[in-house]
Amino acid sequence: IDRLERIGWSTTDGQPMADITGKVSDKNGQGIPGVSVVIKGTNRGTTTNASGDYTINAPNNAVLVFSYV
């Protein structure tokens, strides 16, 4: 994983939450499909699509864990 982007902050139900939208790409800028994106310490997560894009709603201080096999 060479580059990650974090875009699109919001607030949900008065709690500081973020709609985190980004792209996981390799060193050539090609999106990586199938990367797991999980909020650390939870089972909430998503995977990147065929273009390497992902969206996840998380607390604004969350740590995202990326894994790829």
Side-chain angles (χ1 to χ4, degrees), residues 4-65:
L4 305 173
E5 297 177 11
R6 188 172 176 150
I7 306 168
W9 294 97
S10 68
T11 302
T12 306
D13 295 332
Q15 298 295 321
M17 298 289 285
D19 286 329
I20 301 167
T21 302
K23 181 172 187 160
V24 180
S25 57
D26 66 16
K27 64 183 178 180
N28 298 317
Q30 295 296 317
I32 304 173
V35 176
S36 295
V37 183
V38 178
I39 301 168
K40 185 175 183 178
T42 74
N43 61 356
R44 290 190 59 212
T46 189
T47 57
T48 58
N49 66 15
S51 300
D53 300 316
Y54 68 91
T55 300
I56 188 169
N57 187 266
N60 62 11
N61 63 346
V63 173
L64 298 181
V65 178

